[in-house]
């Protein structure tokens, strides 16, 4: 960060990334300019929470007696807007590092992508990206921040910026703790210096801020801690508004849980399930989830110990009497109270989901479409609740209609008494999976097969050994115990013909395959590739290759259909001359064709050349 000094004023340059972001904000953010007020009040409220928390454990705080609150002053003649708080304030490094920095590099990429795709960047979303403060540039050309940190030694500081690439900082005399932000509104935004308009925005976005807000001399009324109120005294509207406030969402939640636990662990909680999954799934900037309160005092806004990682899409508040009031963050982290609350919350949430699955399928499916991947991740993380999570899985199968999903329970209930295993097949999408030759036997024998095409299914399902005492079995495996179908139509080759043919297959393919065997599963196709008993399925391998280009594929087993006319013809050629070039080429062609179908054929040139050659011979 370049630094220039003129007199008492130091000039700083924004980092390249921040400059780009500012450019995007100033030039592409048009909708909902009023959002700047929500962001400023939310920052003031964060700062007030921080100083209140600090005072619990540290008596050495400047202005310890000052009331905690937010004050807004408007001048509708001169179009001036000022907001002050008695929060924790900022040091010089807060101003350069926290205020002047993008929280996550993903943020910029994400916004840039939206812009490149010609989509409007919604002003409402800005707070979610950790750059809420800069939304003020939607309504002004220059911002002044005057601040004094709670540390008694900290100096008063004035920060100024026009958002054009630089900002300045100078030391000034400020007697009281906290932060004052002021600016002159742009011509189009004069409305935000009018009292009725500002009150109206605060009503819409900030009714749940816990600290008093005053405009001029008037103290606005606050709603307060709604999770402390009895269930029947809270309206749906209040719940929805509260959710929008804490989750920074524009839509109401899908549903909520209001908990009031007394006994081994005591806490009240409001837990919301959003309608939509977070935009950056399991990426970089972690989602803020549950706010933790101890006896109505805010402790922290993202208490990681309260939820397992896979449920971190939940939003809400937990307020407990079981933590000491002068609690520090270290204490909360190691407290068994947190662990107990975590268990109860997980149980209640999974219970609610199971309930929907039973009584409100539509709702469950809406949830599953958005958050199914989180549950799948949970299966290999939360062994206590593994079975409950497995019961929540939903699949397409060879027998489901478009968009229909079934559970493992339903699959098992539909199984014929003779069927002993649960079959699945992995692949990229339904249409290609349905054409996989490995399915032929199952179609013919009317056996249902789960179709896994979500990458998380492909990773998770093989780690589930059995369900309801029935083994989960990939039908791409060589060790399938298949019965010979009763009426297969054509006769299979006898051993005298098939054994020598298999020998030539092995000779021709060499170490390209692990083995060549006679197939029981093929009906219409001549050959297929299957995985050895402990090997990965084709789709899993494809995913491994995408992640690691040096990944070496495991060798497959080639199964050939000795009822197929082509295989019979090859056996006949083999009887004449085992070195016959058409025989050898056909074998290579069958192998590479099967590779092609499983999506693992790397260079198709040889394949095409050979095909041309064979066609030339066939058309002579
Ligand atoms: P976020 O609130 O998501 O961190 P913002 O852009 O709104 O992102 O704010 C950036 C940072 O600037 C805050 O994290 C905080 O450190 C600091 N900040 C902003 N406003 C205030 C304030 N009123 N008092 C103290 N610190 C503030
Ligand atoms: Mg903020």
């Amino acid at each position: 960060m370049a630094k220039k000094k003129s007199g008492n004023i130091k000039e700083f340059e924004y980092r390249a990334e921040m400059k780009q972001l500012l450019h995007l904000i100033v030039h592409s953010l048009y909708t909902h300019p009023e959002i700047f007020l929500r962001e400023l009040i939310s920052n003031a409220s964060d700062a007030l929470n921080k100083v209140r928390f600090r005072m619990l454990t540290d008596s050495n705080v400047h202005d310890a007696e000052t009331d905690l609150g937010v004050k807004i002053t408007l001048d509708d003649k001169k179009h001036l807007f000022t907001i002050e708080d008695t929060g924790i304030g900022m040091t010089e490094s807060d101003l350069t590092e926290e205020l002047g920095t993008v929280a996550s590099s993903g943020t910029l990429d994400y916004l840039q992508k939206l812009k490149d795709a010609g989509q409007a960047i919604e002003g409402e979303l800005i707070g979610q990206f950790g750059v809420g403060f800069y939304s003020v540039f939607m309504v002004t050309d220059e911002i002044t921040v005057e601040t004094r940190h709670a540390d008694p030694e900290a100096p008063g500081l004035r920060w100024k910026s026009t958002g054009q690439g630089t900002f300045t900082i100078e030391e000034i005399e400020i007697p009281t703790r906290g932060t004052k932000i002021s600016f002159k509104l742009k011509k189009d935004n004069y409305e935000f210096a009018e009292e009725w308009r500002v009150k109206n925005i605060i009503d819409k976005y900030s009714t749940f801020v816990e600290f008093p807000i005053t405009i001029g001399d008037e103290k606005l009324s606050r709603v307060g801690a709604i999770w402390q109120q009895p269930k029947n005294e809270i309206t749906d509207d209040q719940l929805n508004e509260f959710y929008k406030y804490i989750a920074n969402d524009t839509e109401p939640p899908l549903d909520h849980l209001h908990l009031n636990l007394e006994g081994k662990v005591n806490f009240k909680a409001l837990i919301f399930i959003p309608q939509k999954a977070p935009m950056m799934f399991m990426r970089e900037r972690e989602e803020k989830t549950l706010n933790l309160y101890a006896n109505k005092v805010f402790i922290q806004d993202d208490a990681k110990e309260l939820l397992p990682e896979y449920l971190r899409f939940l939003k809400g508040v937990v307020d407990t009497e079981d933590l000491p009031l002068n609690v520090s963050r270290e204490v909360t982290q190691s407290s068994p109270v947190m662990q107990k609350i975590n268990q109860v919350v997980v149980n209640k949430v999974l219970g609610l989901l199971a309930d929907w699955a039973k009584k409100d399928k539509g709702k469950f499916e809406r949830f599953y479409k958005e958050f199914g991947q989180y549950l799948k991740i949970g299966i290999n993380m939360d062994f206590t609740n593994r079975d409950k999570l497995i019961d929540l899985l939903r699949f397409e199968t060879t027998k489901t209609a478009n968009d229909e999903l079934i559970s493992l329970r339903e699959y098992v209930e539909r199984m014929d008494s003779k069927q002993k295993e649960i079959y699945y097949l992995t692949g990229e999408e339904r249409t290609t999976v349905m054409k996989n030759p490995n399915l032929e036997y199952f179609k013919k024998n009317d056996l249902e097969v789960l179709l896994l095409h979500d990458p998380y299914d492909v990773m998770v399902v093989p780690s589930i050994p059995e369900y309801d005492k029935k083994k989960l079995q990939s039908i791409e495996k060589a060790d399938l115990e298949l019965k010979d179908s009763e009426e297969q139509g054509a006769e299979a080759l006898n051993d005298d013909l098939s054994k020598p043919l298999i020998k030539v297959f092995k000779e021709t393919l060499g170490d390209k395959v692990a083995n060549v065997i006679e197939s029981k599963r093929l009906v219409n196709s001549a050959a297929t590739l299957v995985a050895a008993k402990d090997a990965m399925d084709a789709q899993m391998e494809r995913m491994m290759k995408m992640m690691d280009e040096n990944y070496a594929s495991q060798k497959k087993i080639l199964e050939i259909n000795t009822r197929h006319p082509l295989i019979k013809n090859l056996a006949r050629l083999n009887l004449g001359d085992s070195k016959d070039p058409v025989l050898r080429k056909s074998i290579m062609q069958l192998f590479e064709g099967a590779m092609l179908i499983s999506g693992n054929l790397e260079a198709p040139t040889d394949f095409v050349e050979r095909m041309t050659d064979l066609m030339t011979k066939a058309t002579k």
Side-chain angles (χ1 to χ4, degrees):
M1 198 175 295
K3 220 196 275 190
K4 271 194 303 196
K5 212 169 166 177
S6 79
N8 192 19
I9 304 178
K10 287 186 272 183
E11 183 171 2
F12 296 78
E13 202 163 332
Y14 286 108
R15 295 205 178 97
E17 213 178 30
M18 193 61 208
K19 276 192 205 167
Q20 275 170 277
L21 189 81
L22 279 168
H23 190 85
L24 272 175
I25 291 176
V26 175
H27 296 280
S28 321
L29 218 54
Y30 319 103
T31 64
H32 309 282
E34 77 273 13
I35 221 68
F36 84 90
L37 184 51
R38 181 187 71 183
E39 296 304 327
L40 289 177
I41 292 177
S42 137
N43 286 348
S45 162
D46 289 349
L48 289 160
N49 272 323
K50 282 184 199 158
V51 80
R52 184 165 66 179
F53 183 74
R54 192 182 178 106
M55 287 192 287
L56 292 177
T57 49
D58 184 354
S59 55
N60 198 22
V61 163
H62 184 61
D63 272 352
E65 305 303 320
T66 307
D67 288 339
L68 299 180
V70 182
K71 188 173 158 205
I72 294 171
T73 315
L74 305 170
D75 182 337
D76 59 1
K77 305 274 164 353
K78 295 192 182 129
H79 320 295
L80 300 179
F81 186 102
T82 305
I83 178 168
E84 293 165 79
D85 66 66
T86 50
I88 192 146
M90 285 179 268
T91 61
E92 182 168 328
S93 93
D94 289 338
L95 287 172
T96 55
E97 301 304 317
E98 303 294 331
L99 197 59
T101 311
V102 202
S104 114
S105 55
T107 301
L108 186 61
D109 290 350
Y110 181 81
L111 292 177
Q112 191 65 49
K113 265 194 206 118
L114 278 186
K115 180 157 191 259
D116 294 346
Q119 271 170 287
I121 304 172
E122 291 284 332
E124 287 188 284
L125 296 178
I126 202 73
Q128 294 178 15
F129 298 120
V131 288
F133 172 77
Y134 287 93
S135 63
V136 180
F137 280 120
M138 294 166 86
V139 298
T140 188
D141 295 320
E142 186 179 38
I143 312 177
T144 304
V145 178
E146 293 175 350
T147 186
R148 175 160 176 184
H149 192 261
D151 184 341
E153 307 300 315
L157 297 168
R158 179 184 289 138
W159 175 102
K160 260 177 180 294
S161 180
T162 56
Q164 301 290 335
T166 60
F167 58 87
T168 58
I169 296 180
E170 72 184 293
E171 267 189 36
I172 57 167
E173 200 53 49
I174 302 179
T176 51
R177 184 193 72 218
T179 302
K180 174 170 154 185
I181 297 170
S182 46
F183 45 88
K184 184 171 188 313
L185 294 160
K186 285 190 217 174
K187 205 157 183 227
D188 287 349
N189 305 106
Y190 285 171
E191 60 188 296
F192 300 124
E194 289 179 44
E195 201 170 297
W196 67 272
R197 179 73 174 109
V198 171
K199 278 188 196 159
N200 170 293
I201 301 167
I202 294 174
D203 258 358
K204 181 166 174 205
Y205 294 110
S206 312
T207 31
F208 297 97
V209 170
E210 289 168 74
F211 301 95
I213 301 178
T214 47
I215 298 190
D217 297 323
E218 189 185 346
K219 208 169 195 166
L220 304 183
S221 64
R222 312 267 46 134
V223 173
I226 70 165
W227 60 91
Q228 290 281 355
Q229 295 169 25
K231 277 181 210 187
N232 53 15
E233 285 176 22
I234 313 175
T235 65
D236 285 351
D237 258 7
Q238 280 178 318
L239 281 171
N240 288 348
E241 290 310 313
F242 180 66
Y243 164 77
K244 288 186 195 168
Y245 166 66
I246 54 162
N248 236 333
D249 202 344
T250 53
E251 296 294 313
L254 186 58
D255 208 341
H256 76 277
L257 280 168
H258 192 167
L259 307 176
N260 184 357
L261 269 276
E262 283 170 31
K264 265 189 278 173
V265 55
N266 302 285
F267 71 94
K268 295 191 171 70
L270 256 180
I271 298 191
F272 296 93
I273 300 176
Q275 292 194 42
K276 290 253 178 308
M279 265 171 286
M280 293 183 256
F281 174 63
M282 294 265 158
R283 285 249 311 275
E284 278 195 283
R285 181 180 146 89
E286 291 185 31
E287 286 289 311
K288 292 199 172 149
T289 58
L290 300 183
N291 296 339
L292 175 67
Y293 286 72
N295 286 301
K296 302 186 205 169
V297 175
F298 177 90
I299 304 295
Q300 65 190 115
D301 63 3
D302 186 25
K304 295 206 168 32
E305 299 74 29
L306 285 177
L307 284 175
E309 218 173 305
Y310 72 95
L311 289 181
R312 305 201 72 224
F313 56 84
L314 298 171
K315 307 277 175 187
V317 170
V318 168
D319 192 346
T320 178
E321 294 152 29
D322 294 352
L323 287 170
L325 238 192
N326 59 347
V327 62
S328 71
R329 246 156 247 193
E330 292 67 38
V331 171
T332 42
Q333 270 167 25
S334 54
S335 167
V337 174
M338 300 291 277
Q339 204 46 46
K340 278 188 222 153
I341 297 177
N342 177 316
Q343 280 165 13
V344 176
V345 170
V346 173
N347 257 324
K348 295 281 179 188
V349 170
L350 296 184
L352 179 70
L353 299 180
D355 229 40
W356 292 351
K358 229 186 273 156
K359 296 178 200 146
D360 191 347
K361 282 204 162 144
K363 195 181 221 172
F364 182 75
E365 272 172 26
R366 269 172 66 199
F367 167 82
Y368 193 79
K369 279 211 178 86
E370 284 292 318
F371 298 102
Q373 298 193 329
Y374 288 81
L375 301 183
K376 292 168 194 173
I377 289 175
I379 286 178
N380 287 337
M381 289 172 97
D382 183 355
F383 292 96
T384 323
N385 293 299
R386 190 170 156 92
D387 290 345
K388 286 186 197 164
L389 288 166
I390 290 174
D391 265 318
L392 295 174
L393 292 177
R394 294 293 179 272
F395 301 98
E396 279 181 40
T397 79
T398 44
K399 294 189 179 176
T400 52
N402 255 351
D403 268 0
E404 188 198 351
L405 296 170
I406 65 162
S407 63
L408 287 174
R409 170 72 35 227
E410 286 165 283
Y411 178 97
V412 167
E413 280 165 8
R414 277 143 70 147
M415 272 166 71
D416 189 280
S417 62
K418 277 178 270 166
Q419 188 185 338
K420 297 283 178 270
E421 300 179 324
I422 298 170
Y423 298 116
Y424 68 84
L425 176 61
T426 66
E428 219 147 293
E429 51 177 291
R430 187 186 177 101
T431 39
T432 49
V433 180
M434 283 299 273
K435 288 187 190 134
N436 190 313
N438 290 336
L439 271 179
E440 290 172 1
Y441 172 90
F442 297 86
K443 283 186 193 153
K444 182 156 179 155
N445 290 284
D446 198 33
L447 294 164
E448 185 164 23
V449 177
L450 305 175
L451 303 176
L452 315 185
H453 37 74
D454 178 64
Y456 289 89
D457 284 334
V458 176
M459 284 190 293
V460 167
V461 172
S463 75
I464 307 172
E466 55 173 47
Y467 179 83
D468 197 22
K469 303 216 174 63
K470 289 160 190 80
K471 190 173 163 213
L472 271 83
Q473 173 70 56
S474 160
I475 67 161
E476 284 182 276
K477 291 286 153 63
D479 68 333
L480 268 192
E481 283 175 39
L482 301 177
K483 279 189 265 339
D484 288 317
S485 302
E486 275 125 44
E487 27 91 48
Q488 283 279 23
E491 284 273 313
L493 287 175
N494 63 29
D495 281 1
D496 291 346
L497 286 169
S498 66
K499 285 220 169 100
L501 182 63
I502 285 176
K503 195 164 151 251
V504 191
F505 262 86
K506 286 185 186 165
E507 246 174 60
T508 313
L509 297 173
D511 63 5
K512 288 188 167 60
V513 291
N515 203 0
V516 180
I517 59 174
E518 220 176 307
S519 182
K520 289 182 184 169
R521 73 182 88 208
L522 293 176
V523 179
N524 302 315
S525 301
T528 190
L529 283 167
V530 296
K533 191 165 180 266
D534 304 313
M536 275 181 229
D537 287 345
Q539 181 62 14
M540 186 73 197
E541 281 215 299
R542 231 189 339 253
M543 281 162 41
M544 298 292 288
K545 274 189 207 158
M546 276 190 308
M547 289 186 278
D548 172 11
E549 52 182 299
N550 295 319
Y551 174 82
S553 310
Q554 292 163 312
K555 278 181 212 162
K556 294 281 176 332
I557 296 169
L558 184 72
E559 287 193 4
I560 56 173
N561 177 3
T562 55
R563 292 186 165 83
H564 196 282
L566 173 60
I567 299 296
K568 289 182 174 167
N569 290 347
L570 295 182
R572 186 169 39 73
L573 285 180
N574 186 33
L575 219 49
D577 173 11
S578 73
K579 298 246 154 21
D580 185 322
V582 172
L583 168 65
R584 297 278 169 153
K585 277 193 181 139
S586 302
I587 290 174
M588 271 318 264
Q589 208 63 359
L590 278 169
F591 166 70
E592 289 199 350
M595 289 282 278
L596 186 62
I597 286 176
S598 72
N600 286 312
L601 183 64
E602 259 145 38
T605 21
D606 288 352
F607 180 79
V608 172
E609 226 166 73
R610 233 179 280 115
M611 183 171 69
T612 311
D613 195 36
L614 288 168
M615 288 194 298
T616 312
K617 291 210 168 69
T619 50
K620 234 199 307 223

